[in-house]
Amino acid sequence: MTLDATARLEVDPLIDDPATRIIVCCGAGGVGKTTTAAALGVRAAERGRKVVVLTIDPARRLAQSMGIDSLDNTPRRVKGIEGDGELHAMMLDMKRTFDEIVEAHADAERARAILENPFYQSLSAGFAGTQEYMAMEKLGQLRGRDEWDLIVVDTPPSRSALDFLDAPKRLGSFLDGKFIKLLMAPAKVGGRAGMKFLNVGMSMMTGTLGKLLGGQLLRDVQTFVAAMDTMFGGFRTRADATYRLLQAPGTAFVVVAAPERDALREAAYFVERLAAEDMPLAGLVLNRVHGSGAARLSAERALAAAENLDESRIVDQGPGKTGVRDAAAVSPESPAVDHSPEAREVPPATLASSSSSSSSSEVPDVHDVREVHDVQTAQQLTAGLLRLHAERMQVLAREQRTRDRFTALHPEVPVTEVPALPGDVHDLGGLRAIGTRLAAGS
């Protein structure tokens, strides 16, 4: 099944529908998720929605393209939006989001103890999966404020796009794990009984872990677990609530991919995972698709024409001055030279006239030489352009085969294409142009 036979992703009805409250852009790294999310935000805002775009991309291209000096953990209004809507943008600050959770769900003394704990500082700054979980937390916070009609999420640039979905479950497994429960046990028992339990029941484990992790790190972990004990249930509850939010009818997942084998393989895997998790998929955005204004000229015909031009240029080369003189000297049609006395007694005027005529016939006209050179140059340039066109048509054929494989596996997935642009998107005008192409589905 070809792409033409599949359903087309209708972007404008999706972003115009007031029931659509969250759009999650996901896919492999480097396929244009950030640009797609920003373009959707701009188009939705200019069609009357009040939008916030949450990006987790550390490259900060979103801020530059929206004309904002910098993005942080607070939504900032984007200027230059045409129409009645509004656009706000923000960039996830993973550690600051974690700090906000601690400050919101613990009293001042306990919050200070947690924030100053070395293990917490390491956990909040770079623990595996923390970024994805904090993105889910921030999404839940934004949705809970009910300040925006539409939230557009650019998922983290992780090795696998599935990490965004797995983060809440992984955190729940971590909090419910035997290691954490064992560390929490002394705090739950409390007082002297707790100390006795720690000294007797955990002495072997503490000694072993102290050797592996270091005694100070183990004490930091135990202090952190004791301080966070009352918050663990809240983490799990919010994670579950956000996960259910992603399954709700008001959420739409947009998978972004380039027309390349690896990117579309990742997209196919994500489509299957979303279906398994009962999460609503809006469709696939096929980004950076190449095209040609002369698609009727195949690669084979272009290469053949280029070869013909090269052969013609070699065969039809015009001779230079030396070639003309030599050709005249050896031509069998040249008249024989008469050495008789009568021939030697030719009047001077006749000799001069003959010499002049002979000279002009032996030397090519400058204009003729220039015309020959111009024709050869034109043929050379044309042959080069034909070869470039052949390369482009080969790229188009490869992309078409890759798209066809995806659509054969998932004919139910609506698709829209975004043509490749000659340069990077670096301003609102560029994002607006991307939004127009998204809607057009060219």
Side-chain angles (χ1 to χ4, degrees):
M1 179 177 291
T2 64
L3 186 64
D4 296 335
T6 62
R8 191 167 75 86
L9 173 59
E10 301 287 349
V11 170
D12 284 347
L14 175 68
I15 61 179
D16 290 345
D17 187 355
T20 304
R21 302 299 301 276
I22 297 173
I23 295 178
V24 181
C25 296
C26 49
V31 296
K33 292 193 303 291
T34 300
T35 303
T36 300
L40 286 172
V42 170
R43 189 164 184 84
E46 294 191 336
R47 294 176 70 86
R49 304 291 301 268
K50 188 175 182 181
V51 187
V52 59
V53 176
L54 168 63
T55 182
I56 303 97
D57 187 352
R60 301 188 181 275
R61 288 170 295 156
L62 180 62
Q64 297 168 2
S65 62
M66 292 188 172
I68 301 175
D69 294 335
S70 63
L71 291 178
D72 54 24
N73 222 36
T74 303
R76 297 181 181 275
R77 179 82 176 266
V78 177
K79 298 179 181 179
I81 294 298
E82 301 172 357
D84 299 330
E86 293 182 14
L87 178 63
H88 297 75
M90 61 180 297
M91 180 177 291
L92 178 73
D93 184 330
M94 180 176 64
K95 187 178 187 311
R96 183 58 204 151
T97 301
F98 213 148
D99 292 348
E100 289 173 354
I101 296 170
V102 172
E103 292 167 352
H105 297 89
D107 57 68
E109 183 178 352
R110 179 168 294 192
R112 184 171 61 254
I114 294 172
L115 296 177
E116 293 175 356
N117 183 274
F119 179 74
Y120 167 78
Q121 292 174 358
S122 299
L123 175 71
S124 60
F127 192 76
T130 304
Q131 185 183 50
E132 287 79 9
Y133 177 78
M134 289 305 140
M136 298 283 278
E137 279 277 354
K138 182 55 69 175
L139 172 59
Q141 291 177 10
L142 293 172
R143 186 66 180 87
R145 289 169 61 176
D146 204 26
E147 186 176 340
W148 294 278
D149 301 337
L150 179 63
I151 303 169
V152 182
V153 182
D154 165 35
T155 53
S158 51
R159 184 177 60 85
S160 172
L162 300 175
D163 290 345
F164 183 70
L165 293 178
D166 291 333
K169 290 183 178 179
R170 282 206 311 272
L171 182 67
S173 298
F174 172 71
L175 298 179
D176 289 333
K178 293 180 180 179
F179 176 66
I180 291 296
K181 288 182 177 179
L182 197 57
L183 292 177
M184 289 170 61
K188 286 183 177 295
V189 175
R192 296 176 62 182
M195 292 302 296
K196 182 178 181 180
F197 178 86
L198 178 63
N199 292 332
V200 178
M202 298 182 64
S203 57
M204 291 183 63
M205 187 200 74
T206 303
T208 303
L209 290 175
K211 291 177 182 178
L212 293 174
L213 305 177
Q216 183 59 50
L217 175 58
L218 181 58
R219 286 191 291 273
D220 291 339
V221 172
Q222 290 172 332
T223 304
F224 164 76
V225 170
M228 291 283 287
D229 180 24
T230 58
M231 297 182 58
F232 284 158
F235 276 109
R236 196 177 302 107
T237 300
R238 288 191 304 278
D240 292 342
T242 305
Y243 201 77
R244 289 194 299 272
L245 183 63
L246 293 176
Q247 294 175 315
T251 300
F253 280 83
V254 172
V255 179
V256 184
E260 300 166 1
R261 184 177 60 183
D262 291 342
L264 278 172
R265 183 187 295 118
E266 183 88 1
Y269 185 36
F270 206 98
V271 165
E272 294 164 4
R273 173 65 186 278
L274 290 172
E277 299 289 337
D278 294 324
M279 292 189 175
L281 172 65
L284 172 74
V285 170
L286 204 55
N287 204 12
R288 302 170 186 161
V289 176
H290 292 90
S292 173
R296 293 184 178 180
L297 179 60
S298 67
E300 292 77 12
R301 290 174 57 196
L303 288 174
E307 291 175 1
N308 289 337
L309 284 173
D310 285 340
E311 292 174 1
S312 172
R313 186 163 51 86
I314 293 172
V315 172
D316 296 340
Q317 280 194 101
K321 178 179 178 180
T322 304
V324 173
R325 181 182 292 117
D326 292 344
V330 300
S331 173
E333 298 178 0
S334 300
V337 179
D338 189 355
H339 296 285
S340 64
E342 291 81 3
R344 287 195 294 268
E345 295 178 1
V346 179
T350 305
L351 284 173
S353 174
S354 174
S355 174
S356 173
S357 173
S358 175
S359 174
S360 64
S361 65
E362 289 180 1
V363 180
D365 186 85
V366 174
H367 296 292
D368 293 339
V369 173
R370 186 175 298 165
E371 287 178 4
V372 169
H373 178 267
D374 289 346
V375 169
Q376 292 175 356
T377 302
Q379 289 178 335
Q380 188 174 7
L381 289 173
T382 303
L385 289 173
L386 285 168
R387 288 192 173 89
L388 286 175
H389 174 76
E391 292 177 6
R392 170 58 66 90
M393 294 307 295
Q394 290 167 353
V395 170
L396 264 62
R398 185 170 62 250
E399 291 182 355
Q400 183 66 53
R401 289 193 299 270
T402 307
R403 294 196 299 264
D404 288 348
R405 281 196 292 269
F406 176 87
T407 53
L409 289 172
H410 300 284
E412 78 286 354
V413 178
V415 180
T416 187
E417 293 186 7
V418 179
L421 296 180
D424 292 333
V425 176
H426 53 80
D427 55 18
L428 273 180
L431 291 176
R432 195 174 287 120
I434 291 290
T436 301
R437 286 166 170 79
L438 278 167
S442 174

